[in-house]
Amino acid sequence: MKSVEPAHAAPPGPEQTPSATTVKSARSTRSARPGRKNRDWLHGLLMSAPAVFGLILFVGVPFGYAVVLSFYNVRLGSPLAPSFFGLEQYRRLFTDPDMSGPFLRALLNNLTFAAVVVPVQTALALALAILLNRKLKAIGLFRSLFFMPVVFPMALVAVIWRLILARSDQGMLNSALNAVSLGNWGAFDWLGDGATAMASIIVLSIWQGVGFQMVILLAGLQQIPGELYEAAQLDRASRWQRFRHVTLPGIRGTLVFVAMLTSVLSFRVFDQVYVLVRGGGLNEEATRTVMYQAVTTAFDQNNIGQASAITVVFFLIVVVLTLIQRRVVRPGNED
């Protein structure tokens, strides 16, 4: 039997042999990549320079100055020069009953406010975004109506809600409840009662801020390809299944951003508390926040050093809570 020897591989033809020009081009491309990355980094730095400069000028410098002032005994209007206190302001903040009591109560009010506002406002904003993500006539008008409270200043919103929640029979909420109950509802002090004061601030804040989160989530919903919903309908997925397996994964990053933004804003609550305490009969003890405590300590008690210590401690607490929240809600693709 005649054996068949395997054929030898043919030598590479001209089209298979890399030319000197190709090799040179590849080498030049590899050598150009670091230069291109450096240029991109420089361009990014130049474009972000105004924002970074503003952040340092209006946030970094004042915070650094507050850290310095927290180590001194500084009084507004005092003829005495500031004296170095070291960590005395921080010690008093946690050990002196006259200072630690109001501060810890304010911190608890802040945490309570955030624990309610963040999930409720985020969920309500998502529901409104889904409701308004439709192709209907005059849909732009409805979106504008829901977004309109965001345009109003918080001071104006607080004045409006002061009229709604007024303690007298002329208060809008008391009048409505009196009409519904056929005259059996009497006047109730919504802002002055300790059981409803914080709830009133929470409702006011959600009403004013939910439109902003709604717009962000609406933009995220409009980025989800419609083919995914069509494929889900072909698979006979229910509305809940489409929401769970198409909508939520599609806006996960946007939802995380909205939750973190709402958390930061909820810790900054001050305007509505200050306006309603000063002119609306709001229960100060039940609604005092850390920012309100810092402002009143600085300008009512003239104690700038103690107010600076409050802001520094509160800043560190907010940073820690934000990092924890970021870790908990981190998308799985970032691990």
Side-chain angles (χ1 to χ4, degrees):
M1 185 174 181
K2 194 172 183 181
S3 61
V4 180
E5 296 182 358
H8 295 284
E15 69 279 2
Q16 297 178 347
T17 304
S19 62
T21 305
T22 304
V23 174
K24 184 177 180 181
S25 176
R27 291 178 179 175
S28 62
T29 301
R30 287 195 298 268
S31 62
R33 286 177 182 174
R36 182 177 180 180
K37 290 182 179 179
N38 292 335
R39 288 196 302 270
D40 292 342
W41 180 85
L42 180 60
H43 293 163
L45 181 62
L46 292 176
M47 287 187 291
S48 62
V52 173
F53 177 76
L55 186 65
I56 294 175
L57 181 63
F58 297 106
V59 178
V61 173
F63 178 73
Y65 191 50
V67 173
V68 174
L69 289 177
S70 67
F71 295 107
Y72 287 84
N73 182 22
V74 184
R75 298 276 181 171
L76 284 179
S78 175
L80 300 177
S83 57
F84 183 74
F85 253 33
L87 298 177
E88 181 66 17
Q89 302 285 13
Y90 296 96
R91 187 194 66 79
R92 291 182 178 180
L93 194 60
F94 291 101
T95 60
D96 189 348
D98 294 335
M99 295 182 180
S100 63
F103 172 74
L104 294 178
R105 180 58 187 269
L107 182 60
L108 179 61
N109 290 338
N110 257 117
L111 294 176
T112 303
F113 181 88
V116 177
V117 168
V118 173
V120 173
Q121 185 167 322
T122 302
L124 184 58
L126 179 59
L128 290 176
I130 294 175
L131 181 64
L132 296 177
N133 189 29
R134 301 169 182 267
K135 295 181 179 179
L136 300 175
K137 293 182 178 180
I139 191 64
L141 175 62
F142 292 108
R143 293 173 181 174
S144 301
L145 290 176
F146 281 104
F147 184 76
M148 190 175 297
V150 181
V151 182
F152 298 151
M154 181 55 76
L156 175 60
V157 173
V159 172
I160 294 173
W161 278 84
R162 184 179 64 184
L163 299 176
I164 296 175
L165 302 173
R167 67 172 63 92
S168 65
D169 295 336
Q170 302 301 320
M172 297 177 63
L173 182 57
N174 284 331
S175 299
L177 293 176
N178 186 58
V180 171
S181 63
L182 301 178
N184 294 321
W185 181 271
F188 185 78
D189 191 0
W190 298 96
L191 297 175
D193 192 276
T196 57
M198 179 56 73
S200 301
I201 296 296
I202 289 174
V203 173
L204 179 159
S205 302
I206 291 177
W207 179 82
Q208 194 271 342
V210 70
F212 182 64
Q213 283 81 359
M214 178 202 70
V215 170
I216 298 176
L217 290 173
L218 182 61
L221 289 174
Q222 293 177 349
Q223 298 300 318
I224 301 176
E227 293 81 2
L228 297 179
Y229 290 102
E230 295 176 0
Q233 289 180 347
L234 292 176
D235 291 339
R236 298 182 179 180
S238 63
R239 290 186 177 181
W240 169 249
Q241 289 174 332
R242 293 198 297 269
F243 172 77
R244 181 181 177 183
H245 298 289
V246 178
T247 303
L248 283 182
I251 62 170
R252 179 177 176 83
T254 307
L255 203 58
V256 169
F257 170 76
V258 167
M260 295 186 63
L261 178 63
T262 308
S263 301
V264 174
L265 295 177
S266 65
F267 281 108
R268 289 174 48 193
V269 56
F270 167 74
D271 296 1
Q272 55 269 50
V273 175
Y274 186 83
V275 171
L276 291 177
V277 166
R278 299 292 171 168
L282 183 66
N283 189 315
E284 183 177 3
E285 185 67 19
T287 57
R288 179 191 290 113
T289 61
V290 178
M291 292 300 299
Y292 178 85
Q293 181 71 19
V295 171
T296 54
T297 300
F299 298 104
D300 291 348
Q301 303 175 16
N302 298 329
N303 194 340
I304 298 297
Q306 187 65 39
S308 300
I310 292 175
T311 57
V312 171
V313 172
F314 187 56
F315 173 79
L316 296 177
I317 292 174
V318 172
V319 169
V320 171
L321 292 178
T322 304
L323 293 177
I324 294 175
Q325 182 191 37
R326 184 69 183 91
R327 181 66 179 176
V328 171
V329 300
R330 174 183 295 179
N333 56 3
E334 291 187 9
D335 294 335

